[in-house]
Amino acid sequence: MRIRAMQAEDASTVAALHAASWRRAYREILTHAYLDSDLEGERRSVWTTKLSVADGSLGWIAFVQDVPAGFVFVRPREDAQWGTLVDNLHVQAAHQGHGLGRRLLHTVGGWTAVHTPDVGVHLWVFADNVAARGFYQRVGGREVERTDRAAADGRWLPEYRVAWSSPDALTAATRG
């Protein structure tokens, strides 16, 4: 496995990974109409914009045998109280349970320890995404807030904010 920084040219690759992940993990969370639409095209548009804007956001793609297998994207210092936002973390189904998500979060922890060491790290997860919530708990994340948030399909859905108190806490929890 290797992990490298995302580049603007990765928008289509990231969009394909993102759409596949949402179609599998969110089948009973987001509407079928949304998931069965041109989701990959919509995500490509989103990622083309995200990867071309110089706002300090950045991400990493993980490869297994030179095939894209997952990615993580962060927005440093996104929240005054909670710190850096893990905006996206997705791992292809075939690679889940093999430490890839943990390694991607460890990469985030290492980067934030150097670049934003004075703030925590957080993310949002759908309340109904029980598998992801369990994963975040296993890697030291604490559910610190529950609220309804706007979902990509236009509805408001309950989500949890999961937080790590510091980059060091995230790095320590994802070691190994």
Side-chain angles (χ1 to χ4, degrees), residues 18-173:
H18 199 172
S21 177
W22 275 13
R23 284 191 173 122
R24 181 189 41 75
Y26 297 170
R27 182 55 61 184
E28 302 307 320
I29 298 172
L30 298 178
T31 64
H32 288 215
Y34 176 72
L35 292 173
D36 295 336
S37 68
D38 182 19
L39 184 58
E40 190 170 330
E42 186 260 345
R43 293 287 90 195
R44 186 178 312 105
S45 176
V46 166
W47 284 106
T48 297
T49 300
K50 281 187 177 192
L51 294 176
S52 66
V53 175
D55 65 356
S57 299
L58 68 155
W60 296 268
I61 301 177
F63 295 84
V64 175
Q65 298 177 349
D66 293 325
V67 176
F71 72 93
V72 65
F73 191 78
V74 299
R75 295 182 356 211
R77 298 185 187 279
E78 175 68 17
D79 187 275
Q81 178 179 356
W82 301 104
T84 296
L85 173 67
V86 177
D87 185 52
N88 278 273
L89 173 64
H90 297 278
V91 174
Q92 283 188 327
H95 300 287
Q96 290 182 348
H98 302 286
L100 186 57
R102 181 181 294 269
R103 290 265 318 267
L104 286 165
L105 281 178
H106 190 76
T107 300
V108 169
W111 186 90
T112 55
V114 171
H115 299 280
T116 60
D118 56 323
V119 298
V121 179
H122 69 111
L123 57 80
W124 289 98
V125 61
F126 287 117
D128 288 341
N129 193 347
V130 176
R133 289 175 58 203
F135 168 72
Y136 297 132
Q137 181 179 16
R138 289 189 301 279
V139 294
R142 294 178 305 110
E143 292 179 350
V144 295
E145 177 182 7
R146 180 183 165 139
T147 189
D148 288 348
R149 293 176 31 98
D153 67 356
R155 296 178 304 143
W156 287 81
L157 298 173
E159 294 187 41
Y160 284 98
R161 184 191 308 264
V162 176
W164 293 264
S165 60
S166 69
D168 290 339
L170 176 57
T171 302

